[in-house]
Amino acid sequence: MTQAQMQHLSAKAREVRINTLKSIGHLGIGHVGGALSIVEVLTYLYYDAMTVHPDTPRHPDRDRLVLSKGHAGPALYSILAMKGFFPMEWLYTLNVGGTRLPSHCDRNLTPGIDMTTGSLGQGLSAAVGIALACRMDKRKSTVYAIIGDGESQEGQVWEAAMTAPMFKLDNLIAFTDFNKMQIDGKTADIMNIEKLEAKWSAFGWHTQRINGHDFAELDKAVAAAREASGTPSMIILDTIKGKGCPAAENKVSSHNMPLSADDLEEALSALTAAEGDA
Amino acid sequence: MGKDMRDVYTETLIELAEKDDRICVLEADLMNATGTRPFSQRFPERTFDVGVSEADMVGTASGLSAEGKIPFAASFSTFASRRVFDQFFLSANYARLNVKLVGTDPGITATYNGGTHMSFEDVGMMRLIPDLTIVEPSDIVSCAALVKAVARHSGCVYLRMHRKGSQELYPADTEFTLGKGCVLRDGTDVTLIASGFVMVPEALRAAELLEKSGISAAVIDMHTIKPLDAELVVAYAKKTGAIVTCENHQTAGGLGGAVAELLAEEHPTRMGRIGSQERFGQVGTFEYLLNDYRMDAVSIAEKAENVIKRR
């Protein structure tokens, strides 16, 4: 990945953060923490790795994404709007009655959303089904899935963890957003999910662990995952919950939090200042 | 005897799959019980046994459906309802997909598997899912026809399916429509509305017993419990003035509940309900359980006579 590409992605990631915070800030409350921790992976996927068709969202040869931690929808909506799947103005309709952008992802409401999610633990199984169907149809599509660290406490995740290698789904690349926090506290204190790499490896996945905010590492890891033959891939992302928003960053309380006008202003100033540094 | 219900289920799926490459089968370690092994041999690339992980099976089926496949996913009715309710509710139904979930061994047909495996609540749970279609065939003829109708139907379906044993209540070429009940026997004094392999024949036997007592009983096979054939129920409520529902399920929440809710609003009618009354399952032979839960023909006939007396 060239320096110019990195700078381009960094600029896009800042834009995604700004749009996500404006979207949630307009409503005044939302899942800030877990949306901001996956901004880099989403940016990398939609501005580099994935083939998508904003004018034909269900194009059969597209790559798919199942955002299993569906509460992070607002971050994905920001990218989808930026990519042209729907007008940017929609971002200000988050959770308004009758909206096309509900807090949790809905495949029937939002162009570009591939699977309905929100009850934690279910998305990876759906991604397995989508990957099976893509293989049956001999498509070259890659199916991506993003699960949460708290979500990884759900038993169904580990059912799917057995199923995907059993069916040799090397068209499936999953990420774990390991921001180390869940609603009730730190994952290490509530229900420890470590040793996470050893777990996924033991289940038969090609497993890597990287800094989830580093585009060079994301690029290298996804390339390695694509090379892995005959097995699905898990890329564990070490991330910071609420990254880029001072009111939320590294705070357990950021899962679903009020975002005041002052909080928003503070975050936008910080992000704009960061832009100047770059 | 003819083919088992499960043989008909599997043969029908194979017939459908020969012409439609979207049809696929998912199992959770009960392929031999459901009887779909011949399907897996004919279409190995369209069969997915995920082991003992029913929640994952329903999620995987939902993913397949999101890509346009028509998955038939099966387990015992207890697991296909209680175990996977949230997965079926959200990943399949709320997501507006096209997943066919098959629950076998309903109610007392679980016999020696007992209370842990005896579903008296699956239909009640499923009835709470918006727009879901609930189907329970009563014989091998309706099974073949209804499996085809379920595959054609665009949307999620819960297919409550008896698997062992065979019976033919209909001529081979009978046509069935989802949502349209079948009048198996006409009558003027009481209507027995039944569903499924166990209760439809019991209701027919009860009608014969009632005839000997000079009571004319109509019998309806309500193979589609949801959406309920409201027109037919109301017509027979008006015609006979008395209704008895017969189900291999709790009397609350299922067929009896659906008919009672409808009639309370549309045409209040004297009613009785046959089924498990606020009880869990248990082990026993089929005959023991049929009598113990008072689902047998004699109990149905007695209930019908009592309802008529309240006239």
Side-chain angles (χ1 to χ4, degrees), chain A residues 47-62:
Chain A
Y47 281 94
D48 192 310
M50 284 173 70
T51 301
V52 292
H53 303 265
D55 294 331
T56 318
R58 293 268 161 90
H59 193 292
D61 291 324
R62 74 194 188 281

Side-chain angles (χ1 to χ4, degrees), chain A residues 27-225:
Chain A
L27 181 72
I29 185 166
H31 294 102
V32 176
L36 294 183
S37 58
I38 60 166
V39 166
E40 276 74 18
V41 66
L42 287 177
T43 303
Y44 175 71
L45 289 176
Y46 279 85
Y47 281 94
D48 192 310
M50 284 173 70
T51 301
V52 292
H53 303 265
D55 294 331
T56 318
R58 293 268 161 90
H59 193 292
D61 291 324
R62 74 194 188 281
D63 292 324
R64 278 80 165 157
L65 171 70
V66 177
L67 182 55
S68 189
K69 44 172 289 181
H71 57 276
L76 181 50
Y77 302 154
S78 295
I79 291 204
L80 292 175
M82 287 161 60
K83 293 289 287 188
F85 280 86
F86 48 81
M88 291 295 288
E89 295 78 50
W90 284 23
L91 296 178
Y92 297 101
T93 68
L94 187 68
N95 285 349
V96 173
T99 187
R100 304 283 297 268
L101 305 184
S103 60
H104 299 83
C105 296
D106 188 317
R107 65 185 296 278
N108 296 305
L109 287 178
T110 314
I113 294 294
D114 291 318
M115 186 60 200
T116 299
T117 53
S119 181
L120 292 177
Q122 298 190 19
L124 194 56
S125 297
V128 165
I130 292 170
L132 282 172
C134 286
R135 188 168 72 187
M136 286 163 77
D137 294 340
K138 300 187 170 50
R139 299 197 191 286
K140 289 183 177 134
S141 311
T142 301
V143 181
Y144 297 94
I146 302 176
I147 65 174
D149 47 6
E151 178 178 18
S152 303
Q153 293 157 358
E154 290 278 8
Q156 190 183 344
V157 168
W158 301 100
E159 294 182 1
M162 279 187 275
T163 305
M166 187 71 200
F167 293 132
K168 301 183 171 34
L169 292 175
D170 53 12
N171 57 347
L172 173 62
I173 299 177
F175 301 90
T176 301
D177 174 27
F178 199 1
N179 60 36
K180 321 289 184 301
M181 290 178 189
Q182 58 190 107
I183 299 175
D184 277 356
K186 294 182 177 176
T187 50
D189 298 332
I190 302 301
M191 184 51 66
N192 193 10
I193 62 170
E194 292 277 27
K195 301 175 175 173
L196 204 52
E197 287 163 271
K199 284 190 173 93
W200 287 98
S201 293
F203 275 75
W205 292 59
H206 175 270
T207 307
Q208 305 170 77
R209 183 163 180 164
I210 63 168
N211 175 352
H213 299 301
D214 185 313
F215 288 112
E217 288 194 30
L218 278 164
D219 191 48
K220 205 171 137 199
V222 170

Side-chain angles (χ1 to χ4, degrees), chain B residues 224-239:
Chain B
T224 307
I225 299 166
K226 182 178 175 168
L228 186 67
D229 188 347
E231 202 181 335
L232 186 66
V233 171
V234 171
Y236 271 81
K238 287 178 179 167
K239 180 175 177 175

Side-chain angles (χ1 to χ4, degrees), chain B residues 23-72:
Chain B
I23 303 281
C24 45
V25 159
L26 290 95
E27 294 284 351
D29 203 36
L30 288 172
M31 182 178 287
N32 289 331
T34 315
T36 52
R37 193 162 296 282
F39 185 101
S40 76
Q41 287 159 348
R42 176 69 187 84
F43 300 107
E45 74 290 351
R46 284 197 252 164
T47 309
F48 308 103
D49 192 330
V50 300
V52 191
S53 61
E54 296 82 5
D56 183 49
M57 174 176 73
V58 172
T60 302
S62 301
L64 285 162
S65 171
E67 293 297 321
K69 306 300 176 195
I70 305 176
F72 280 73

Side-chain angles (χ1 to χ4, degrees), chain B residues 28-269:
Chain B
D29 203 36
L30 288 172
M31 182 178 287
N32 289 331
T34 315
T36 52
R37 193 162 296 282
F39 185 101
S40 76
Q41 287 159 348
R42 176 69 187 84
F43 300 107
E45 74 290 351
R46 284 197 252 164
T47 309
F48 308 103
D49 192 330
V50 300
V52 191
S53 61
E54 296 82 5
D56 183 49
M57 174 176 73
V58 172
T60 302
S62 301
L64 285 162
S65 171
E67 293 297 321
K69 306 300 176 195
I70 305 176
F72 280 73
S75 185
F76 289 160
S77 48
T78 42
F79 311 134
S81 55
R82 303 198 303 255
R83 175 65 65 97
V84 303
F85 190 69
D86 191 41
Q87 285 76 18
F88 190 49
F89 190 103
L90 286 174
S91 287
N93 285 270
Y94 177 69
R96 298 286 180 185
L97 292 170
N98 189 22
V99 174
K100 319 303 184 186
L101 183 59
V102 182
T104 68
D105 302 57
I108 61 171
T109 66
T111 62
Y112 297 152
N113 272 333
T116 54
H117 288 54
M118 201 161 282
S119 57
F120 286 142
E121 60 292 313
D122 55 326
V123 176
M125 294 172 73
M126 294 297 177
R127 275 191 63 227
L128 297 175
I129 302 180
D131 289 339
L132 177 65
T133 296
I134 305 174
V135 177
E136 186 175 22
S138 60
D139 78 337
I140 58 172
V141 177
S142 60
C143 180
L146 289 168
V147 168
K148 286 178 190 171
V150 163
R152 276 194 305 271
H153 175 75
S154 175
C156 289
V157 176
Y158 178 63
L159 178 63
R160 192 180 205 234
M161 202 190 69
H162 186 85
R163 65 183 170 92
K164 286 190 274 188
S166 183
Q167 65 194 8
E168 291 184 49
L169 305 175
Y170 293 96
D173 54 354
T174 308
E175 290 184 8
F176 296 84
T177 305
L178 291 180
K180 294 289 171 198
C182 299
V183 179
L184 282 172
R185 177 186 171 122
D186 215 340
T188 53
D189 299 326
V190 62
T191 306
L192 310 178
I193 303 177
S195 64
F197 188 93
V198 172
M199 297 312 291
V200 173
E202 287 301 321
L204 285 168
R205 278 191 280 278
E208 286 169 20
L209 294 173
L210 288 165
E211 191 175 19
K212 285 174 189 159
S213 309
I215 294 169
S216 167
V219 176
I220 293 173
D221 175 358
M222 197 59 80
H223 53 73
T224 307
I225 299 166
K226 182 178 175 168
L228 186 67
D229 188 347
E231 202 181 335
L232 186 66
V233 171
V234 171
Y236 271 81
K238 287 178 179 167
K239 180 175 177 175
T240 64
I243 300 281
V244 175
T245 55
C246 311
E247 62 194 306
N248 176 17
H249 184 270
Q250 287 187 39
T251 53
L255 176 65
V259 170
E261 287 168 18
L262 171 74
L263 291 179
E265 288 189 345
E266 298 294 327
H267 188 77
T269 304

